[in-house]
Amino acid sequence: MILRHNKRGVPLLNTTSTADISFILLVFFLVITSMDVDKGLSRQLPPIDNKQQQQPTDINKNNVMDLKIDAHSRLTLNDKPVKMDQLRQAVERFVAGSAHRSSHIITLAVDRSATYDAYFTAENEIVAAYNALRNQCAMKLYGRVYERCTKEQREQVRRLYPQRLTETMTGAVKGGAQ
């Protein structure tokens, strides 16, 4: 008598709920994950087409504030050393004291060897000065801070205190750049 052994088959795994569980986990992780939104400094970039470049304009030297950050991250205002914590008040005085607020220009020349922290701090102080001036103007005109004004009111305040800032990089380019 020959005994036959039945080959044992591999038991089947019930996978009907696997897709459901995967979908639920996917939705769960999408819901609980926070998406950070990057915020940056709003700047107007030059036009892409070289044919559309603007014509140079003559500017009164009294309407120009010249800021420079050297390779050692030292700040100068019109070739005189100034501390970063004094920059905000200097910008406020300059912009508010301009004969024609819309004709002033702040130039910021940053050496490529300067620290990013120095550059960012200077940018932050300049923006804070404009925000303070716009808040003062909005309070005077509309009785509320700039952020609480309507879109049209904010546009009017921006026309009175436009942010006119030019930035340049100075110093030698490091690496393989030409």
Side-chain angles (χ1 to χ4, degrees), residues 53-143:
Q53 287 185 354
Q54 296 178 350
Q55 297 297 325
T57 357
D58 292 329
I59 299 171
N60 185 353
K61 185 110 173 135
N62 295 331
N63 290 342
V64 177
M65 175 183 255
D66 188 29
L67 297 171
K68 292 179 185 167
I69 300 176
D70 65 8
H72 303 290
S73 300
R74 291 183 299 237
L75 177 68
T76 59
L77 169 62
N78 298 331
D79 296 324
K80 295 175 186 166
V82 67
K83 295 181 181 177
M84 283 289 185
D85 57 357
Q86 299 170 336
L87 181 58
R88 184 182 309 187
Q89 290 81 18
V91 170
E92 283 182 30
R93 280 193 306 270
F94 173 73
V95 174
S98 302
H100 304 286
R101 290 185 196 126
S102 61
S103 66
H104 76 276
I105 293 179
I106 298 174
T107 62
L108 179 61
V110 182
D111 192 285
R112 292 184 192 279
S113 301
T115 63
Y116 182 75
D117 188 45
Y119 168 73
F120 186 76
T121 303
E123 282 280 343
N124 194 37
E125 291 299 317
I126 292 168
V127 170
Y130 276 103
N131 288 342
L133 289 169
R134 288 174 177 172
N135 275 335
Q136 290 172 5
C137 181
M139 286 298 287
K140 187 188 296 183
L141 294 176
Y142 307 113

Side-chain angles (χ1 to χ4, degrees), residues 42-59:
S42 59
R43 297 288 177 255
Q44 182 176 359
L45 298 175
I48 294 174
D49 189 10
N50 290 338
K51 297 175 187 174
Q52 295 179 345
Q53 287 185 354
Q54 296 178 350
Q55 297 297 325
T57 357
D58 292 329
I59 299 171

Side-chain angles (χ1 to χ4, degrees), residues 29-49:
F29 285 116
L30 285 175
V31 169
I32 66 165
T33 303
S34 66
M35 302 292 176
D36 292 334
V37 177
D38 291 336
K39 293 184 178 180
L41 302 171
S42 59
R43 297 288 177 255
Q44 182 176 359
L45 298 175
I48 294 174
D49 189 10

Side-chain angles (χ1 to χ4, degrees), residues 161-177:
Y161 288 101
Q163 186 171 337
R164 301 184 53 147
L165 176 67
T166 63
E167 298 177 5
T168 56
M169 296 301 261
T170 60
V173 177
K174 295 181 180 178

